[in-house]
Amino acid sequence: TPYGRAMEPGRRDDDAPADLAVTTLGALRVRWCGEDVDADLPDKARAVVAYLADAGRAVSRSEVAGLLWSDLPEERARANLRLALTKIRRVLPEVVGANRRELWLAVAVDLDAARVEAGDASETLHAYGGDFLAGFDAGDAELFDDWMRARRQRLRSTALLNLAASATAARASTEWTTVIAVAGRVLEIEPWNEEAHRQVMEALMHTSGRAAALAQFDHCERLLARELGLGPEPETLELAARIGSGRALTAAPRARAVTGLPSILTPFLARDADLDMIVERISGGTERLVTLVGPGGVGKTRLSIEAAERVGGDHDFAVFASLAGVRSAHEAVSAIAALVVADWAGGAEPMEQLIESIGPQRGLLILDNLEHLADEIGEFVLALLGRCPQTTVVATSRQALDLVVEDV
């Protein structure tokens, strides 16, 4: 399959047949040669298979043991890992490759998450079966749970971006049945997404008539009131009024000014002084790198989102990139490029593609959760700021990046 995984440490074989299929979007499911083997594998063993499949590369034994048995001394954790590997090999012979330091999957893997991350909307429509490892419990594995939550958010955001782009393209070509299918899938993932509700309303007006479109509006209005205690956005109310009065439908309501923003379910608690200070630094043009530093849970991400929404429309482009589940600076650059570069299709030089795409534009990049990349992301940030003179970076992190140009 085109989504095969490593046949030996760090090497992919994209043409190899995938005897091993790992479903991670929705409930975890492991199949070998077409047969389900979940019942034969303990949860910790299934977690090892899922982690190696998702990594798509060789990973250290210490990394896997630390994720799954972080509450134990290292020797006991590694012993438990060896036991889990023994159980895996009884069910999946020759699937896990290993040496004294590293583990990897030695067969090609059909992985649904890889289809979503490839950026193809049609693949996303079929592959995204639910949240990453939904309902899975590795048992007393706090670090694994943290990784799982970060990957869940990243894959959900990626799926929503892929589907939103597809729905927009289908609308532009008046493919209304496709709009209904794709925007409807967005609503299955994120039921309160008003942009998707508006797309479905407009498409239904064209395919099924006014009554169906207004029924969709009623559903949206009730859902927002029930789940969030909110009313529809002005754009949604305007579209409903146009449909109800029989007026011509204008261009679709504009999307949010900032690409990649997560949906917010709670009101913003007033922090006007902090928000005004950040906005002033972004808008002033003198601070190119503004880092919001503080311990987890103090509201850095929410503050950056509010600032981005306030000033994003003043820029040629504005992008919010959550990097919590990213493992390296190279992967971070690819994640950012996927949001910025038009028709992004991956590639070996994401940095060059990103810089070429930005060029002289006035841009705003919000890079969220950088603390685990603080030691290696600096080179990328400096290169970006040096070669894209009109772009500003706002970072959130539990520690400063320690760069000369940084305003903390």
Side-chain angles (χ1 to χ4, degrees), residues 18-19 47 55 72 105 108 110 140 232 245 260 278 324 357 373 375 384 387-388 392 400:
D19 290 327
L72 298 179
L105 293 183
D110 180 8
D140 296 324
S245 66
I278 295 167
S357 177
L373 302 171
D375 293 336
L384 179 72
R387 296 174 62 183
C388 302
T392 298

Side-chain angles (χ1 to χ4, degrees), residues 171 176 179-180 196-209 213 216 239 243 249-253:
R171 180 193 176 279
W176 300 117
V179 171
I180 292 171
H197 278 289
R198 291 191 291 266
Q199 290 171 333
V200 173
M201 288 167 60
E202 183 181 16
L204 286 173
M205 180 63 183
H206 285 283
T207 58
S208 302
Q216 179 68 31
L239 180 60
I243 292 172
L249 299 184
T250 59

Side-chain angles (χ1 to χ4, degrees), residues 116 120-129 163 166 178 181-186:
V116 171
D120 184 272
S122 62
E123 289 285 356
T124 298
L125 190 63
H126 296 98
Y128 195 89
L163 294 170
S166 176
T178 300
V182 177
R185 188 71 184 93
V186 170

